Amino acid sequence: MLKIAQIAPLYEAVPPRLYGGTERVIAHLTDALLVQGHDVTLFASADTETGARLVPMRSQALRLDPNPLISDIASHFAMLDEVRRRRDEFDILHFHTDLIHFPFFEDIAERTLTTVHGRLDLAGLDDVYKRWQRYPLVSISDSQRKPLPNANWLGTVLHGIDEHLFRFTPAPEARYLAFLGRIAPEKRVDRAIAIAIQAGVPLRIAAKIGNVDHDYFDRQIRHLLNHPLIEYIGEIGDADKSEFLGNASALLFPIDWPEPFGLVMIEAMACGTPVIAWRHGAVPEVMEHGVTGFFADSIGSAAEAVRRIGEVDRHTVRHAFERRFTAETMAWRYVQLYKQLLRGRGEIHPDGIAPAAALNASGPGHPRNDSVFVGSEAI
């Protein structure tokens, strides 16, 4: 049993009530670690729902706080101070807070693991990761690493979700396409609309409009929603996703940016719903062309993929999810990295580390894939 602190951002509850990727992954990871017998403490907002020991760091998530004048930096600094005060209670401090904790835990960097959840092609990041080189990092896809190949990468762990959360739907009740996520320039809901219109298939859009994207929505998207094939239903939470995704013929994921992972793809796959996506970022690491969906590089090729979507077997899509993207598998991979850090500090006997044969199996009952790399060695 390991004593693990999971440190979440405070922007959303864990899991989020509606849209939110990072906090949702933390919820699945925390629950899976508990099932595997570990002692987990979660630092998060008080509106979090978890079986772990919760340390509430503010009364509610920042995005849902009605006060318009909030310092997110102050909230996160207060949390980091509490984590530092209690640091000796844990074997591993697992941070999901981007890089904000780097100046505060440098003296115990070898006791930390930092999962990087965002894009890394931003100016200035290279200097920061060079400055704080001691922190062991985990990427959520191999593609995410490309802008910073020389950072201190300990491993790549693809996301996973609770395999019981989403209901498998072998035969959708309605014929429509689904778009789920954010309405933002890089997510290209405009492409999704064009695909649906060209294919002649209805599109249902369940998406968040963030504060920074309202102008984009008003100027470039709102008028597109007037087409009779297009329906905008707003944000939805996990409770509504099985019906929304499961009854869709396909999920459209026509992104225009280096997506670090794309959680909605595996949520769709959990329902048995194939994905039609542009080959950007982590997409080729998550889905397989012709097996779990189709890649596209134009509106026309995506519309053709819509017409061919019946060639994809929905049972095969669900099986691919179960084989690679469950929370159990994700947690198992993280535990191997935790143990590697402990072994490096001489705090765990080598026999406590899974043998190479087990590591190469990529988790209990799961065939090996390319989801985890430690140093230059595939796990």
Side-chain angles (χ1 to χ4, degrees):
M1 180 189 73
L2 299 177
K3 294 183 178 180
I4 306 161
Q6 297 288 338
I7 301 99
L10 298 173
Y11 297 106
E12 304 283 353
V14 180
R17 299 292 181 265
L18 295 169
Y19 178 84
T22 297
E23 294 87 353
R24 183 161 279 112
V25 170
I26 296 168
H28 292 302
L29 173 59
T30 298
D31 290 345
L33 289 170
L34 290 170
V35 169
Q36 293 177 16
H38 299 287
D39 184 340
V40 186
T41 298
L42 176 60
F43 293 80
S45 59
D47 46 354
T48 284
E49 296 180 2
T50 182
R53 187 179 298 104
L54 176 65
V55 182
M57 297 312 307
R58 67 183 331 270
S59 60
Q60 64 184 143
L62 287 161
R63 184 160 79 96
L64 301 179
D65 194 319
N67 187 343
L69 301 176
I70 305 172
S71 170
D72 59 335
I73 293 292
S75 296
H76 284 95
F77 274 16
M79 178 173 69
L80 295 178
D81 183 68
E82 181 65 11
V83 174
R84 185 167 178 84
R85 187 182 70 82
R86 299 180 58 172
R87 60 183 182 170
D88 292 335
E89 299 177 21
F90 310 107
D91 299 313
I92 295 290
L93 304 176
H94 189 165
F95 289 96
H96 303 268
T97 51
D98 200 2
L99 45 73
I100 194 171
H101 57 286
F102 282 5
F104 304 102
F105 294 88
E106 193 168 12
D107 59 326
I108 56 167
E110 69 283 353
R111 289 182 52 201
T112 73
L113 190 65
T114 299
T115 296
V116 183
H117 289 268
R119 66 189 299 173
L120 297 176
D121 58 341
L122 305 178
L125 287 183
D126 186 52
D127 290 339
V128 169
Y129 282 98
K130 286 179 181 176
R131 166 66 181 82
W132 283 285
Q133 182 70 24
R134 292 181 57 203
Y135 283 94
L137 308 175
V138 173
S139 51
I140 59 177
S141 67
D142 293 332
S143 171
Q144 182 195 32
R145 295 184 182 197
K146 290 179 179 178
L148 299 175
N150 297 318
N152 186 20
W153 297 113
L154 185 69
T156 290
V157 180
L158 299 181
H159 286 333
I161 58 179
D162 182 349
E163 63 181 309
H164 303 295
L165 181 61
F166 295 102
R167 183 177 64 255
F168 171 60
T169 304
E173 296 178 359
R175 184 172 182 262
Y176 64 88
L177 302 170
F179 179 96
L180 176 64
R182 286 186 294 121
I183 294 183
E186 66 272 16
K187 297 292 188 176
R188 295 305 299 264
V189 69
D190 59 315
R191 277 182 180 165
I193 292 170
I195 293 164
I197 293 172
Q198 184 162 328
V201 178
L203 171 68
R204 296 181 183 176
I205 301 168
K208 165 191 174 181
I209 306 173
N211 292 334
V212 298
D213 294 315
H214 276 291
D215 185 63
Y216 164 75
F217 173 77
D218 290 336
R219 291 176 178 272
Q220 300 190 42
I221 302 301
R222 186 186 295 275
H223 69 282
L224 300 177
L225 303 181
N226 295 327
H227 193 280
L229 285 175
I230 310 304
E231 179 184 5
Y232 175 63
I233 64 176
E235 279 190 80
I236 62 174
D238 283 346
D240 299 314
K241 287 181 182 178
S242 286
E243 181 176 356
F244 178 75
L245 291 171
N247 285 316
S249 299
L251 171 76
L252 298 184
F253 198 67
I255 57 170
D256 196 16
W257 73 303
E259 175 71 64
F261 184 80
L263 191 65
V264 65
M265 289 190 289
I266 67 171
E267 292 176 337
M269 290 166 59
C271 298
T273 301
V275 180
I276 298 172
W278 263 241
R279 291 177 60 103
H280 293 317
V283 169
E285 298 176 55
V286 176
M287 57 171 289
E288 184 178 353
H289 183 73
V291 177
T292 57
F294 294 109
F295 298 133
D297 57 11
S298 66
I299 303 300
S301 64
E304 176 61 25
V306 172
R307 290 186 278 270
R308 294 180 54 199
I309 207 64
E311 300 173 16
V312 178
D313 179 74
R314 293 176 72 99
H315 288 88
T316 299
V317 175
R318 171 69 189 193
H319 177 68
F321 160 76
E322 292 174 345
R323 181 170 55 86
R324 301 184 63 209
F325 298 115
T326 66
E328 176 193 12
T329 298
M330 173 178 62
W332 186 90
R333 291 168 178 158
Y334 271 117
V335 168
Q336 307 318 306
L337 299 182
Y338 298 155
K339 289 181 176 180
Q340 181 176 342
L341 290 174
L342 292 170
R343 182 173 61 178
R345 300 204 311 262
E347 295 182 20
I348 188 169
H349 190 275
D351 290 343
I353 302 295
L359 292 177
N360 286 335
S362 289
H366 297 269
R368 186 201 175 278
N369 59 50
D370 59 356
S371 299
V372 183
F373 289 84
V374 175
S376 59
E377 297 293 323
I379 290 185

